[in-house]
Amino acid sequence: MIKLTIKRIAELANVSTATVSKVLNGKDKNISEATRRRILEIVERENYRPNRIAKGLKLKKTNTIGLIVPDIKNLFFAEMAKGIEDAAEKKGYSVILCNSNNNRDKEEKYINMLQDRMVDGIILTTSENNIDLYFRDGQVPIVLLDRNIDADLNIGRILTDNEEGGYIATKHLIDKGCKNIGFISSINKNFSSYNRFIGYKKALLESGYKINEKLIYTGSFSIETGYNGTLELLKNSELDGIFCGNDYIAIGAIKALKEKNIKIPDEVKIVGFDDILLAKYMEPPITTIRQPIYDLGKEAVNMLISIIDKKDTEMTKILKTELVERGSS
Amino acid sequence: MIKLTIKRIAELANVSTATVSKVLNGKDKNISEATRRRILEIVERENYRPNRIAKGLKLKKTNTIGLIVPDIKNLFFAEMAKGIEDAAEKKGYSVILCNSNNNRDKEEKYINMLQDRMVDGIILTTSENNIDLYFRDGQVPIVLLDRNIDADLNIGRILTDNEEGGYIATKHLIDKGCKNIGFISSINKNFSSYNRFIGYKKALLESGYKINEKLIYTGSFSIETGYNGTLELLKNSELDGIFCGNDYIAIGAIKALKEKNIKIPDEVKIVGFDDILLAKYMEPPITTIRQPIYDLGKEAVNMLISIIDKKDTEMTKILKTELVERGSS
DNA sequence: ATTATTAATGGAATCTTTTTCACTTTAATC
DNA sequence: GATTAAAGTGAAAAAGATTCCATTAATAAT
């Protein structure tokens, strides 16, 4: 069974392809009602659907966006991707999914590949070790999601207020009476992690605490880092609170503390970050700084499409965080 | 800055586009070494990259596959998607991500859309309420992932041995001394769920147990169903074990039991299914039936690409499950 | 009756690539 | 030196859509 083309429809309707195209795209002010109806009827009957690739080539618009994330199996990115796909679908766009595995080279390859595929725009959560820029100008519209790059390129940014989040988290631990508050997170190059750290420092200093290098451990946003970091911090201090850079780290921290028979929250209090879907089901349920993860994705799509449509858009949007108090503190 | 085309490269090299195309695609046995090198040098220097859309249109091959899942923010599908994207990328394919939200109509729309986009094949985890078929013949290659449809269409299938998994899970609970073993899972229409149920029944009957309808609760593969189902089962029985259709349900079950101050595993034992990333970090860590989730995705891609390449392929592949014993039993 | 205007439609170019086939040039053979 | 074969290249068609511009027919205006 051969796929229908506009040419075939035109033959069936005894008109030219131009006419069919016009009717199909609503540019039919000069088409007689009779032909219009005849064409539509045939299109309907034959169940004709235009070839999007051909259309994309001609129009230089594919209604496709690329999404590059470090790792889709991370709940954070999974939920974000859901927000993105949902929002994109509503606006008639499709999403090409790319995992960079936190590898800068792969990320760059994907960016090229996506442009070869004529995507209309790209949503990008850069790899952690990528802080400088490699985008040339005049390329596809890009929205940076949950990351920032220090450059005045014409790039959109959707961020959460990580510094404030870090501040709130640390302040919460201080208010709960913690005296020696550790910080375990990803490396400082990671934009989010770094800003949470700034908030952490700010809260400590504001309350007259000293910054103790021995209470700071950086690795990656993973359970392992949480686990290893906690064991490390426990070695050399009177640790009684940990601000974890994200909930995965908090999960690892909890695991380590349990193994050492240290009571949470009595002996050590834990605050995470993100509020991933499972945070509240952990034991104890994790006190965390909620980010509107799904909305981050949604907003990124909306911003990107605004840019694509050349609408006048604010190029940076910062979403607020919120403390969710649970059993771990 | 205008995008380079093969035409421009041809001009620069003083040859025709045909020659450039041949060199670029390795069909250069009749091209003199001199021209070949000259072209390659220019391509390199100008950083020319062929337009994939144009190529796709001409070749009727886009090196794109569609992925339709109920919900990417579910860890199970997220991990599967990771396996898929990784495998696809290795073979030079890109993945268009679609969430059906378990909605059959949306699923069907996506299938059409993907074909309009000329994907070379589709990997599909159908919505739960879709057991009959709506694929016409002669369409794109399709591989059903973690689902089955009772039809002899020429469709690939990647499955896990759910019945065996259900059997092993239930047998494990029996061996641990449980007398009243509940079953909480998704609706029976869900292919995986149904087969796990068959395994459950088989194990029970084999050991001389009766099937007690009051110990069976179906809803969806969600934490809520686990929670509600457990409360329900607790009402009317001497419940001392629950086989949960997946790990999310197990998480909900644990939550309900904790709220009722029922000890796990002393009073009630729990077995889940899937072994999602977080199963072992729950409290207690969840005993579960491991599926090779990542590999499911990988195998689906490999099968799909075999079909696309018209290689002779076994059209059904069933992967094995494995009991992972942890604290919840 | 002639011109101007509007309505309705279609031809052909275009988007970028691949590929067939024909053509020219060079080398090889007798 | 004539014929044949092989090497090297390019013109043009094709993939399936959109759109510019031209054309025709019908109607209105002068």
Side-chain angles (χ1 to χ4, degrees):
Chain A
M1 188 205 33
I2 207 104
K3 189 78 164 63
L4 281 175
T5 67
I6 199 173
K7 200 170 154 195
R8 179 84 185 108
I9 299 297
E11 280 168 12
L12 290 173
N14 249 303
V15 292
S16 75
T17 59
T19 307
V20 178
S21 176
K22 282 172 200 158
V23 168
L24 250 30
N25 294 291
K27 315 199 166 170
D28 49 6
K29 63 176 183 326
N30 281 337
I31 308 282
S32 72
E33 187 55 20
T35 20
R36 206 185 72 89
R37 277 234 288 277
R38 182 157 37 95
I39 290 170
L40 252 22
E41 204 247 303
I42 292 171
V43 163
E44 179 83 9
R45 168 162 52 83
E46 304 286 331
N47 194 25
Y48 165 74
R49 303 173 57 91
N51 180 316
R52 296 259 226 147
I53 294 291
K55 184 166 180 167
L57 178 61
K58 173 67 198 175
L59 259 37
K60 291 176 167 301
K61 175 97 174 23
T62 54
N63 274 54
T64 311
I65 62 181
L67 168 63
I68 307 178
V69 291
D71 179 9
I72 189 71
K73 76 175 192 295
N74 179 316
L75 263 181
F76 178 74
F77 296 118
E79 191 175 344
M80 207 158 84
K82 184 67 173 9
I84 288 169
E85 206 276 321
D86 279 357
E89 195 268 339
K90 279 208 189 85
K91 302 226 173 186
Y93 281 74
S94 296
V95 176
I96 296 180
L97 173 68
C98 309
N99 291 290
S100 70
N101 292 327
N102 237 328
N103 174 343
R104 196 198 135 125
D105 288 346
K106 203 166 172 207
E107 188 177 309
E108 199 166 346
K109 272 189 198 130
Y110 271 128
I111 291 183
N112 284 325
M113 180 277 281
L114 289 170
Q115 289 185 264
D116 298 343
R117 287 183 182 277
M118 294 180 77
V119 296
D120 300 326
I122 296 177
I123 295 178
L124 171 60
T125 300
T126 60
S127 55
E128 293 190 329
N129 41 2
N130 174 20
I131 45 163
D132 49 342
L133 62 143
Y134 49 82
F135 320 120
R136 275 153 308 202
D137 251 329
Q139 290 184 308
V140 266
I142 291 185
V143 167
L144 245 33
L145 180 46
D146 195 46
R147 292 284 190 277
N148 204 342
I149 280 187
D150 192 21
D152 52 16
L153 284 176
N154 194 29
I155 284 181
R157 291 175 174 85
I158 301 283
L159 304 166
T160 38
D161 197 334
N162 287 298
E163 185 181 325
E164 194 196 49
Y167 176 85
I168 293 173
T170 312
K171 193 69 174 36
H172 172 71
L173 288 170
I174 293 171
D175 291 346
K176 288 279 174 182
C178 297
K179 296 297 171 201
N180 294 285
I181 301 172
F183 175 71
I184 306 178
S185 191
S186 183
I187 49 173
N188 267 342
K189 270 190 185 172
N190 180 295
F191 171 77
S192 307
S193 194
Y194 180 70
N195 284 290
R196 288 167 204 175
F197 178 60
I198 300 289
Y200 162 80
K201 280 207 295 194
K202 192 175 149 204
L204 289 186
L205 295 174
E206 203 179 277
S207 296
Y209 287 56
K210 290 212 184 64
I211 307 299
N212 181 351
E213 286 296 332
K214 294 212 166 135
L215 286 177
I216 294 164
Y217 183 97
T218 58
S220 68
F221 274 145
S222 65
I223 294 177
E224 290 67 41
T225 288
Y227 181 81
N228 296 331
T230 302
L231 293 182
E232 192 62 31
L233 297 199
L234 282 171
K235 273 185 197 163
N236 36 24
S237 70
E238 306 283 288
L239 186 76
D240 58 3
I242 309 177
F243 168 35
C244 298
N246 78 352
D247 291 338
Y248 278 104
I249 290 178
I251 291 171
I254 289 173
K255 184 170 181 239
L257 291 171
K258 275 185 187 163
E259 279 182 22
K260 294 275 179 189
N261 276 313
I262 296 172
K263 298 238 164 0
I264 317 168
D266 298 346
E267 299 174 64
V268 174
K269 302 190 200 319
I270 298 278
V271 177
F273 209 107
D274 288 351
D275 198 21
I276 56 176
L277 259 27
L278 293 180
K280 68 172 161 183
Y281 294 102
M282 300 308 293
E283 180 66 30
I286 301 174
T287 292
T288 192
I289 305 297
R290 173 180 295 158
Q291 297 199 59
I293 308 180
Y294 183 94
D295 289 339
L296 279 171
K298 192 177 85 179
E299 293 293 343
V301 169
N302 292 339
M303 180 184 282
L304 184 62
I305 293 179
S306 286
I307 300 174
I308 291 169
D309 292 345
K310 301 200 188 325
K311 289 204 185 113
D312 215 12
T313 322
E314 192 59 63
M315 292 298 270
T316 299
K317 186 154 190 175
I318 298 177
L319 305 189
K320 284 289 169 191
T321 59
E322 176 193 357
L323 175 73
V324 182
E325 214 175 326
R326 299 204 183 97
S328 72
S329 64
Chain B
M1 187 204 32
I2 208 104
K3 189 78 162 65
L4 282 176
T5 67
I6 201 174
K7 198 169 155 196
R8 178 86 185 108
I9 299 296
E11 281 168 12
L12 290 172
N14 248 301
V15 292
S16 75
T17 60
T19 307
V20 177
S21 176
K22 282 173 200 158
V23 168
L24 250 29
N25 294 291
K27 315 201 165 168
D28 49 7
K29 62 175 184 330
N30 282 335
I31 308 280
S32 71
E33 186 55 21
T35 19
R36 207 183 72 86
R37 278 235 286 278
R38 181 158 37 96
I39 289 169
L40 251 24
E41 204 248 303
I42 292 172
V43 164
E44 179 82 9
R45 170 161 52 80
E46 305 286 331
N47 195 24
Y48 166 73
R49 303 174 56 92
N51 180 317
R52 296 259 226 148
I53 294 291
K55 185 167 180 167
L57 177 60
K58 173 66 196 176
L59 259 38
K60 291 175 166 300
K61 174 96 174 27
T62 54
N63 274 53
T64 311
I65 63 182
L67 168 62
I68 307 177
V69 291
D71 179 9
I72 190 70
K73 77 175 190 294
N74 179 316
L75 263 181
F76 178 75
F77 295 118
E79 192 175 345
M80 206 158 84
K82 183 68 174 5
I84 288 169
E85 206 276 321
D86 280 357
E89 195 269 338
K90 279 207 189 84
K91 303 226 173 189
Y93 281 74
S94 296
V95 176
I96 296 180
L97 172 69
C98 310
N99 291 291
S100 70
N101 292 328
N102 238 328
N103 175 343
R104 196 198 135 127
D105 288 346
K106 204 166 172 208
E107 187 177 311
E108 198 166 347
K109 272 189 198 130
Y110 271 128
I111 290 182
N112 284 325
M113 180 276 281
L114 289 170
Q115 289 185 265
D116 299 342
R117 287 183 182 278
M118 293 181 78
V119 296
D120 300 325
I122 296 176
I123 295 177
L124 171 60
T125 301
T126 59
S127 55
E128 293 190 329
N129 41 1
N130 173 21
I131 43 163
D132 49 340
L133 62 145
Y134 49 81
F135 319 121
R136 274 152 310 202
D137 252 327
Q139 289 185 309
V140 267
I142 290 186
V143 167
L144 246 33
L145 180 46
D146 196 46
R147 293 284 191 277
N148 205 343
I149 281 189
D150 193 20
D152 51 16
L153 284 176
N154 194 30
I155 285 181
R157 290 174 173 86
I158 301 283
L159 304 166
T160 38
D161 198 334
N162 287 299
E163 185 180 324
E164 194 197 47
Y167 177 84
I168 294 173
T170 312
K171 193 70 174 38
H172 172 72
L173 288 170
I174 293 172
D175 291 346
K176 287 278 174 182
C178 297
K179 295 298 171 200
N180 295 285
I181 301 172
F183 176 72
I184 305 178
S185 192
S186 183
I187 49 172
N188 268 342
K189 270 190 187 171
N190 179 296
F191 170 77
S192 307
S193 194
Y194 180 70
N195 284 290
R196 287 167 203 175
F197 178 60
I198 300 290
Y200 163 81
K201 279 207 296 193
K202 193 175 148 206
L204 289 186
L205 295 174
E206 203 180 277
S207 296
Y209 287 56
K210 290 215 184 67
I211 307 298
N212 181 351
E213 286 297 332
K214 295 213 165 135
L215 287 178
I216 294 164
Y217 183 96
T218 57
S220 68
F221 274 145
S222 66
I223 294 177
E224 290 68 41
T225 287
Y227 181 81
N228 297 331
T230 302
L231 293 183
E232 192 63 30
L233 297 199
L234 282 171
K235 272 186 197 162
N236 37 23
S237 70
E238 307 283 289
L239 185 75
D240 58 3
I242 309 177
F243 168 36
C244 299
N246 78 352
D247 290 339
Y248 279 103
I249 290 178
I251 291 170
I254 289 173
K255 184 171 181 236
L257 291 171
K258 277 185 186 164
E259 279 182 21
K260 293 276 179 188
N261 276 315
I262 296 172
K263 298 238 164 5
I264 316 169
D266 299 344
E267 299 174 63
V268 173
K269 302 191 200 321
I270 298 278
V271 177
F273 208 107
D274 289 350
D275 197 19
I276 55 175
L277 260 26
L278 293 180
K280 68 171 161 185
Y281 295 102
M282 300 309 293
E283 179 65 30
I286 301 174
T287 293
T288 191
I289 304 297
R290 173 179 296 157
Q291 296 199 60
I293 307 179
Y294 183 93
D295 290 338
L296 280 170
K298 192 177 83 180
E299 294 292 343
V301 169
N302 291 340
M303 180 183 283
L304 184 62
I305 293 180
S306 286
I307 300 174
I308 290 169
D309 292 344
K310 300 201 189 324
K311 288 202 186 117
D312 215 12
T313 323
E314 192 59 64
M315 292 298 269
T316 299
K317 186 154 190 174
I318 298 177
L319 304 188
K320 284 289 169 191
T321 59
E322 177 193 357
L323 176 72
V324 182
E325 215 176 324
R326 300 204 184 98
S328 72
S329 64

